[in-house]
Amino acid sequence: MLTIPLNQIIDQDDFYRITFLPDLRPLVESMKRIGQSQPILVQPVSGVFYRIVSGFKRFWAAKELNWSDIRAETAEVDSEQPFSLFQKSLFENLAIRQLNWVEKAFVLQKLVQQFQIPREKIISEWLPILNIGKNQKWLVWLSKIPDYELIVKEAIAKDEITFDLFEFFPALSADDRVALVQFYRELKLGKNRQKEFFYLLRDVMQRDNTSMTHLLENQDVQQIVKAEDLALGNKVQKIRGILRRWRYSSMNEMEKRFREIVHSLRLPPGIQLLPPQNFEGDKFRMTFTFRTPEDFSGVVAKLQEITASGDLTALTSLWEAD
Amino acid sequence: MPYRKYIPEKIIVEKRVWELPWTQEILSRMKGLPVRKISTIEEEALACQKAVISPEESLKTLALAQQSGKFLKPCPGTSNYVCCGYYFLNIATNCDVNCTYCILQSYLNIPFMVVYTNIEDAFRETDGVLGAHKFPLYRIGTGELTDSLTLEHITHMSEKLIPYFAQKKNAILELKTKTTQIENLLHLEHNRKIVVSWSLNPDEIIRTEEKNAPSLKERLDAARKVDAAGYRLGFHFDPMIDYPNWESGYKDVIGRLFAAVHSGNIAWISLGALRYPAQMDRLIRERHPESKIVLGELLPGKDGKLRYFRMLRQRMFRKMVDWIHSHDPNVTVYFCMESPEVWKYAFREQVLQKCPLPGMLDRSVFEWAK
């Protein structure tokens, strides 16, 4: 066991590091009150300096507490190969906590690039260890994450981005990834909405040969995002409307025409008129509610009035909308 | 890219069909290729699946196998849309043309190009169905699970099917293709009982979505030769693709089609807009990332499949019907798996009320049904 000055530890060396965005507060508090209970594991490099094998959080906590040194054990590189040290560090972490997605990605990237473990072995042995399905696609998608922009990695690590979107991120430009993450953060989108919005944006982007950043900078979208008088749920609904209008313009036009017709019928609040789903078919649906026989008679009278007026013929002209 | 005929890299043959004449005939044309006897294609398919062999790689294997199920099946159609009462004769499965929109990508369990060489069983089964006279007339096609002529240079399938159907009084055989493999057909006695059909699209779509298929010109040249040999002709604009220049693109194809063949020989022209099961959307995006067809305004229809928004289909079909009938008002045009509402809009009247679709098509090809 050694006591090593903190300035002899190479701060930026991340050969063994998998920890990303840790919450240091409990550890800082603990080390402040009861000191360092476990030594960190280091490896001597270039004379007086050391590289951390495991114990990054303890090292960062010690720095935050302005300690001058830290207790450590040394691993001799001659007797222990780097890969076994990496495993030691990894399993020490896995034994006490869940790794976030970025940390899992770091592990996979190190296995591929640093330790050159065959892909088949990673898929069959290491993905299950990391609690990921044995599918080579996951290896491809996750291995890209370490290279993403910090804000994107932060959002992934904090589970703010659904993992269903990981497969699409490599194909996005850095600007698009950042713009999307910021957009999702501002709207605090749930995972299903994230997917829905992504698919709409992606399709419009590809169809119109534009970028996601360009779409998200759209004036109408930004006005809604920044509107102070709108509740978050309203913002999401309004932006969804815009994205669907971009993606499904003919359908949107038809919905608008249908709403105009319904509006012209001046239906009382209890009566609802609905088109066939996606306007496939020719059957409309009407629903109404009532409490009393008098209510019911009122509804019937209104329906008779509409029938007699001939206004319903507007519905059949809907299909001739060209 | 010029059209290249399918050449397998290897052949696998089920032991149970090894001795069959058609198996040996095919093998005699493929000398020099590695041939392996196997137990069943299902076992081979499973091994391929375990070894994670790509669909493109698997297609390089030609499998000669026994059809253990039925050769002849009615088209299942699709719920809530109008069906034409067609029968499929499945003598081969899979296709090398690799169109981006092809349903076979999500449909077949066997990844190889398969030919079922127990064709005598197919004839026996067809004899039984036709002899039972459940329907007065049968329109039968081999182009459901494959392109009818893509393996013609290897199998000479037409030399077996055409003489057989030429003698049938209550059946028409349709050979549906995108290829130009018609040489074998030209000398056969067909007795006007065969419809040779081409699936057509504008060249812009052929270049991007049907990359391994012959150009429009090559297809129409082939149709012209078949027309001259006295065959009935069919044309299928299916799937029609909505793209920025679709109007000029499809109008041009119609013009070239009527310039190429005698319209009196056209048995039918079918129209169908792009549609596919929802789960295929992902497959297309993965396998054909350059294709833009998935970016069309596709929405779930009454059968759950994704299809173009109704108003787009109506517009496309009405224009197509008008263009076709401006060349020849007597040509039978029909829609494949379309709703009665769209039929009515496209034809400006409900033609199905006058005559249901199966009857309409029967009249086009069976003289006595008129």
Side-chain angles (χ1 to χ4, degrees):
Chain A
M1 180 98 68
L2 293 172
T3 299
I4 300 174
L6 290 186
N7 60 13
Q8 285 183 9
I9 292 174
I10 309 168
D11 204 354
Q12 301 303 316
D13 189 306
D14 59 0
F15 188 84
Y16 293 108
R17 182 168 72 85
I18 56 166
T19 307
F20 181 77
L21 222 60
D23 179 7
L24 290 178
R25 283 170 306 177
L27 185 60
V28 169
E29 195 58 30
S30 158
M31 284 169 62
K32 192 166 129 187
R33 288 176 185 275
I34 61 169
Q36 182 188 356
S37 54
Q38 291 286 328
I40 65 172
L41 182 63
V42 294
Q43 193 184 47
V45 281
S46 59
V48 296
F49 289 103
Y50 296 89
R51 149 189 284 172
I52 300 174
V53 175
S54 72
F56 284 90
K57 285 198 286 183
R58 278 162 281 171
F59 169 70
W60 291 326
K63 281 185 84 171
E64 199 163 317
L65 291 165
N66 289 320
W67 290 4
S68 58
D69 44 40
I70 191 165
R71 282 190 301 122
E73 283 179 351
T74 54
E76 294 301 333
V77 79
D78 292 345
S79 58
E80 292 196 79
Q81 293 301 313
F83 185 52
S84 42
L85 288 177
F86 173 72
Q87 290 190 78
K88 193 180 274 186
S89 160
L90 172 63
F91 284 104
E92 192 177 281
N93 271 288
L94 286 173
I96 54 171
R97 70 188 182 94
Q98 285 262 343
L99 302 190
N100 65 47
W101 281 109
V102 177
E103 292 172 331
K104 289 177 182 182
F106 278 147
V107 173
L108 294 173
Q109 195 190 46
K110 284 180 196 302
L111 290 171
V112 173
Q113 292 179 6
Q114 214 158 278
F115 302 112
Q116 297 187 344
I117 307 297
R119 287 180 168 266
E120 297 72 32
K121 196 175 169 73
I122 297 175
I123 293 162
S124 63
E125 290 181 20
W126 286 91
L127 289 183
I129 288 171
L130 297 173
N131 216 5
I132 301 167
K134 286 188 207 175
N135 189 325
Q136 61 173 345
K137 288 176 180 171
W138 278 107
L139 177 58
V140 173
W141 302 333
L142 293 174
S143 301
K144 310 274 186 196
I145 290 179
D147 303 326
Y148 291 165
E149 306 63 42
L150 184 61
I151 185 178
V152 177
K153 283 192 283 203
E154 276 176 4
I156 291 173
K158 289 180 178 169
D159 217 12
E160 292 171 350
I161 300 292
T162 174
F163 59 78
D164 291 316
L165 296 184
F166 291 175
E167 65 174 292
F168 305 111
F169 273 32
L172 295 180
S173 69
D175 286 349
D176 281 356
R177 271 195 300 268
V178 170
L180 187 72
V181 164
Q182 284 172 334
F183 176 68
Y184 281 4
R185 278 184 157 176
E186 289 199 74
L187 292 179
K188 295 188 171 55
L189 290 183
K191 304 208 161 171
N192 287 335
R193 277 278 187 258
Q194 283 185 21
K195 279 195 283 183
E196 184 191 6
F197 279 29
F198 179 82
Y199 295 147
L200 292 167
L201 283 163
R202 172 198 59 183
D203 287 356
V204 175
M205 176 180 86
Q206 290 177 359
R207 185 194 64 200
D208 299 348
N209 281 324
T210 183
S211 69
M212 207 164 269
T213 310
H214 178 74
L215 294 175
L216 293 174
E217 281 171 354
N218 172 275
Q219 202 179 348
D220 294 344
V221 171
Q222 281 307 313
Q223 259 179 11
I224 295 169
V225 171
K226 294 198 171 88
E228 289 175 3
D229 55 339
L230 274 179
L232 208 53
N234 288 340
K235 287 184 182 182
V236 171
Q237 280 309 322
K238 280 181 180 290
I239 292 175
R240 180 175 182 268
I242 291 176
L243 300 185
R244 282 186 62 81
R245 193 176 73 221
W246 288 346
R247 177 68 180 88
Y248 302 109
S249 54
S250 304
M251 165 87 157
N252 195 269
E253 192 56 35
M254 193 73 163
E255 285 171 340
K256 195 172 143 201
R257 280 175 51 83
F258 182 76
R259 279 196 302 273
E260 285 167 4
I261 293 171
V262 172
H263 182 73
S264 73
L265 295 175
R266 293 195 190 82
L267 297 171
I271 303 179
Q272 198 183 16
L273 181 59
L274 298 165
Q277 193 174 15
N278 294 333
F279 295 93
E280 288 286 330
D282 55 1
K283 289 181 181 144
F284 298 92
R285 195 154 54 94
M286 187 172 265
T287 63
F288 57 83
T289 53
F290 63 93
R291 282 198 185 84
T292 62
E294 291 75 25
D295 276 358
F296 181 75
S297 298
V299 169
V300 171
K302 179 63 190 173
L303 293 179
Q304 281 172 336
E305 185 189 314
I306 293 169
T307 311
S309 72
D311 292 345
L312 279 174
T313 53
L315 283 176
T316 52
S317 71
L318 199 60
W319 312 121
E320 305 282 335
D322 247 348
Chain B
M1 196 166 66
Y3 169 61
R4 284 203 313 218
K5 289 178 186 173
Y6 171 78
I7 301 292
E9 287 186 356
K10 58 184 175 186
I11 302 178
I12 54 177
V13 185
E14 284 187 352
K15 286 174 190 156
R16 55 189 175 176
V17 300
W18 181 264
E19 301 291 342
L20 293 179
W22 199 20
T23 304
Q24 289 305 316
E25 183 190 323
I26 291 170
L27 290 176
S28 72
R29 285 192 199 102
M30 295 279 104
K31 279 182 182 148
L33 284 180
V35 179
R36 185 163 56 90
K37 279 189 191 178
I38 59 161
S39 175
T40 63
I41 50 170
E42 285 78 12
E43 278 183 27
E44 288 296 309
L46 205 61
C48 259
Q49 204 182 352
K50 280 185 183 162
V52 199
I53 295 173
S54 70
E56 294 77 19
E57 199 56 34
S58 302
L59 266 188
K60 294 175 183 167
T61 300
L62 173 68
L64 306 182
Q66 177 179 300
Q67 174 63 277
S68 305
K70 288 195 168 179
F71 275 100
L72 194 61
K73 291 178 181 170
C75 171
T78 190
S79 54
N80 295 310
Y81 292 92
V82 179
C83 186
C84 70
Y86 198 73
Y87 272 74
F88 302 132
L89 185 64
N90 292 324
I91 292 178
T93 60
N94 228 325
C95 186
D96 60 308
V97 183
N98 195 27
C99 300
T100 57
Y101 50 75
C102 182
I103 182 73
L104 297 180
Q105 296 173 93
S106 69
Y107 198 68
L108 296 175
N109 299 323
I110 306 293
F112 320 116
M113 292 291 287
V114 182
V115 180
Y116 297 108
T117 52
N118 54 326
I119 195 163
E120 292 304 325
D121 293 337
F123 292 146
R124 260 192 298 278
E125 188 186 323
T126 308
D127 282 342
V129 172
L130 299 183
H133 295 283
K134 187 177 167 193
F135 301 106
L137 305 165
Y138 290 82
R139 282 168 286 105
I140 298 172
T142 54
E144 161 72 355
L145 300 181
T146 186
D147 180 293
S148 294
L149 297 176
T150 193
L151 293 178
E152 182 63 21
H153 58 300
I154 295 172
T155 64
H156 290 220
M157 196 186 297
S158 63
E159 291 171 358
K160 306 196 179 316
L161 294 176
I162 291 175
Y164 172 80
F165 278 96
Q167 303 309 316
K168 298 296 170 191
K169 288 191 165 47
N170 59 342
I172 282 274
L173 174 71
E174 183 178 29
L175 300 172
K176 202 186 287 188
T177 189
K178 287 190 180 86
T179 76
T180 50
Q181 300 221 53
I182 41 102
E183 294 305 320
N184 290 345
L185 279 64
L186 301 179
H187 66 275
L188 294 172
E189 187 56 57
H190 51 77
N191 200 21
R192 301 278 284 171
K193 292 294 176 58
I194 311 297
V195 177
V196 187
S197 296
W198 273 268
S199 173
L200 301 180
N201 254 317
D203 273 322
E204 294 101 303
I205 297 300
I206 292 173
R207 276 194 295 272
T208 56
E209 314 299 336
E210 302 171 354
K211 283 182 194 161
N212 295 349
S215 67
L216 177 65
K217 180 181 182 307
E218 288 171 313
R219 292 182 214 182
L220 291 176
D221 284 346
R224 187 181 291 119
K225 288 180 192 167
V226 169
D227 181 30
Y231 283 91
R232 311 295 299 271
L233 301 168
F235 295 97
H236 301 280
F237 290 87
D238 194 354
M240 285 186 70
I241 307 287
D242 178 26
Y243 69 103
N245 297 321
W246 75 266
E247 287 197 44
S248 58
Y250 281 99
K251 191 176 180 188
D252 173 64
V253 180
I254 299 285
R256 289 166 68 181
L257 157 61
F258 279 93
V261 301
H262 296 97
S263 62
N265 265 346
I266 297 175
W268 47 60
I269 295 178
S270 82
L271 310 178
L274 177 67
R275 62 203 174 279
Y276 50 79
Q279 69 270 20
M280 231 182 82
D281 186 82
R282 187 186 177 92
L283 261 179
I284 297 173
R285 289 174 195 265
E286 281 178 4
R287 289 194 190 166
H288 310 282
E290 71 294 346
S291 169
K292 292 203 166 186
I293 58 169
V294 289
L295 306 177
E297 203 167 332
L298 295 150
L299 292 155
K302 286 189 276 188
D303 55 357
K305 286 181 188 165
L306 295 177
R307 46 179 74 221
Y308 286 137
F309 179 54
R310 171 187 175 172
M311 306 308 280
L312 297 176
R313 304 199 316 268
Q314 287 190 170
R315 197 178 305 145
M316 290 174 106
F317 292 155
R318 181 181 271 195
K319 296 258 184 192
M320 286 291 278
V321 170
D322 288 350
W323 292 329
I324 292 167
H325 283 162
S326 72
H327 287 277
D328 185 342
N330 296 317
V331 167
T332 301
V333 181
Y334 72 97
F335 305 135
C336 185
M337 297 183 201
E338 217 13 288
S339 65
E341 304 85 56
V342 171
W343 272 83
K344 186 179 169 191
Y345 178 87
F347 281 100
R348 295 183 170 84
E349 61 173 331
Q350 190 45 285
V351 288
L352 295 175
Q353 269 171 2
K354 290 184 194 162
C355 179
L357 178 56
M360 190 191 300
L361 297 179
D362 288 347
R363 287 182 192 183
S364 305
V365 282
F366 294 99
E367 295 297 325
W368 60 266
K370 289 173 182 168

